[in-house]
Amino acid sequence: MHFAIIGQGLAGSSLAIEADKNGHDITCFDLSNENTASRMAIGIINPLVIKNRTIFDKSEIFLSDCLSYYNWIEKTFQKPLLTGNSIREVLFNPSEVSNWTSLSQEANLETYIGSIETTHKSLSALGLGCIKNSFRLDVKNYLQVIRTWLSEKHRLQEEDVKNVFVSKNEVIVNGQKFDGLILAEGLIATWTQKIFGPLQFSPTKGEGLVIETTNTNIDFPVHRNTFLLKEDENRYTVGATFNRKDLQTGPSKAGKDSLIKELSYWFHDDFKIVDHWCGLRPTMKDRKICFGWHKEFPNVGFLNGLGSRGALTSPYYSSLLWAQHRS
């Protein structure tokens, strides 16, 4: 079958790979807007809710599926995309150190909460709690790999989708006929909501900084309310915020000030800001991911609401959506 896919973010990319594995032909419609949530994502893969020191439902399944998926992508396309340098959580005082040690001995957390390491000279901390089985995906390069593959093996059309018609027998997108349609539109969700009805979005705005410092050499992800992530020799990403109230487009002074304040609690090297970015995450009011196939049009499906964990969850839900189609 020939499927049209609208959107080539984290959801659309994994859906395209799964469609190919299921023997389908693909035409993907995507404008490659640099400000989409997927293209602004920092790519942290972590099954632990760090703030609450808890794991969430299906975390082990998500982790297993995403590692298998990205390892396959790396092997197939000969591109290193996944970094396995574990997150270190900044621990300020003896109570936090003691609590971390206790949690590492609990049966349901020992897979994720590791040992406490000596702090780094650039950090104000009593110790650094190691989060095992945490990774980082190079999102920009991953999306470009899939984009190139779509252009070479299937079809990629960099155009706005202005009209969609669906019936039980065919789908028409921008005047072209297809056997089916997959919608991975993210927050815009124009055609998803026209076909499937309104989605209960409660978007979150994420802002981040890129800083430059000549005094720092931290080659692992650091977290304490916000992340510090090395990009190259002197540059680091700081972020991202979670704001459900201020959804204005563009970076804000409040967002920048919040990130600098959080960072200053535990990072004491001098730095300068070289970039300030933002994006809106397509999260739902109930924080649940939405997906499925249309009851009347069985070859029309969608996946949305991945939020800030798209790098972790998109492989699982893409595979599940196609499994439902086969059944």
Side-chain angles (χ1 to χ4, degrees):
M1 297 178 67
H2 189 180
F3 275 86
I5 297 178
I6 300 178
Q8 195 251 314
L10 287 167
S13 294
S14 53
L15 284 165
I17 290 291
E18 292 299 327
D20 180 81
K21 287 182 177 180
N22 280 274
H24 300 300
D25 197 10
I26 307 160
T27 296
C28 183
F29 294 84
D30 185 83
L31 285 173
S32 187
N33 186 335
E34 290 299 321
N35 293 321
T36 61
S38 289
R39 288 178 173 82
M40 301 303 293
I42 60 177
I44 290 294
I45 294 175
N46 170 37
L48 183 72
V49 183
I50 304 177
K51 182 178 180 180
N52 301 323
R53 313 287 201 254
T54 58
I55 55 175
F56 51 90
D57 189 36
K58 294 190 180 75
S59 60
E60 292 185 6
I61 298 174
F62 291 148
L63 184 61
S64 175
D65 279 19
C66 86
L67 292 182
S68 176
Y69 172 81
Y70 294 124
N71 287 335
W72 182 88
I73 293 290
E74 288 183 318
K75 182 178 179 180
T76 300
F77 297 101
Q78 295 296 298
K79 292 284 187 178
L81 299 169
L82 205 60
T83 303
N85 207 340
S86 298
I87 300 165
R88 272 68 161 191
E89 173 75 350
V90 173
L91 305 174
F92 275 145
N93 53 54
S95 176
E96 291 183 349
V97 169
S98 176
N99 181 58
W100 189 272
T101 301
S102 297
L103 290 173
S104 69
Q105 297 169 1
E106 294 186 10
N108 64 324
L109 292 175
E110 63 181 0
T111 303
Y112 306 113
I113 294 187
S115 60
I116 297 175
E117 300 176 356
T118 304
T119 189
H120 189 279
K121 64 182 180 64
S122 298
L123 306 175
S124 298
L126 190 60
L128 301 175
C130 182
I131 300 176
K132 298 187 293 184
N133 290 305
S134 58
F135 303 84
R136 189 183 184 196
L137 174 69
D138 186 342
V139 177
K140 287 183 173 59
N141 279 332
Y142 163 67
L143 294 178
Q144 186 56 53
V145 164
I146 304 304
R147 196 170 192 83
T148 301
W149 168 76
L150 282 166
S151 299
E152 294 176 351
K153 184 175 182 179
H154 295 278
R155 277 161 295 281
L156 175 69
Q157 297 190 200
E158 298 186 0
E159 62 186 69
D160 189 23
V161 176
K162 297 182 177 179
N163 55 77
V164 174
F165 170 80
V166 298
S167 70
K168 291 183 177 179
N169 299 318
E170 67 177 4
V171 169
I172 301 176
V173 179
N174 283 0
Q176 302 176 58
K177 292 184 179 181
F178 301 94
D179 302 308
L181 170 66
I182 302 291
L183 298 155
E185 299 176 282
L187 190 58
I188 299 173
T190 301
W191 299 106
T192 307
Q193 297 190 95
K194 285 185 177 181
I195 296 170
F196 286 89
L199 300 178
Q200 299 302 307
F201 281 116
S202 178
T204 56
K205 183 178 183 179
E207 297 188 54
L209 305 173
V210 177
I211 64 172
E212 195 170 86
T213 172
T214 58
N215 302 320
T216 307
N217 185 21
I218 302 175
D219 61 0
F220 50 82
V222 186
H223 179 267
R224 175 80 187 205
N225 294 327
T226 190
F227 279 101
L228 179 71
L229 305 165
K230 187 170 186 177
E231 302 297 351
D232 56 34
E233 185 176 354
N234 297 316
R235 290 198 174 196
Y236 293 79
T237 290
V238 180
T241 61
F242 289 81
N243 194 324
R244 298 186 181 96
K245 295 180 181 180
D246 175 21
L247 300 179
Q248 297 296 317
T249 57
S252 69
K253 182 179 183 301
K256 180 175 72 172
D257 290 346
S258 173
L259 289 166
I260 293 173
K261 181 179 179 181
E262 290 291 348
L263 187 64
S264 67
Y265 286 142
W266 48 270
F267 180 74
H268 51 67
D269 287 350
D270 293 331
F271 64 87
K272 66 177 181 179
I273 297 171
V274 296
D275 191 21
H276 181 194
W277 50 267
C278 76
L280 292 179
R281 306 179 185 96
T283 48
M284 301 296 169
K285 288 182 179 179
D286 59 6
R287 297 294 178 257
K288 293 182 179 179
I289 293 171
C290 298
F291 66 101
W293 296 93
H294 201 281
K295 293 181 180 179
E296 186 178 353
F297 313 122
N299 289 330
V300 177
F302 82 106
L303 174 59
N304 209 317
L306 296 178
S308 62
R309 296 186 181 273
L312 173 65
T313 60
S314 56
Y316 170 83
Y317 282 106
S318 296
S319 177
L320 181 59
L321 188 70
W322 282 110
Q324 291 179 350
H325 184 259
R326 291 195 304 270
S327 62

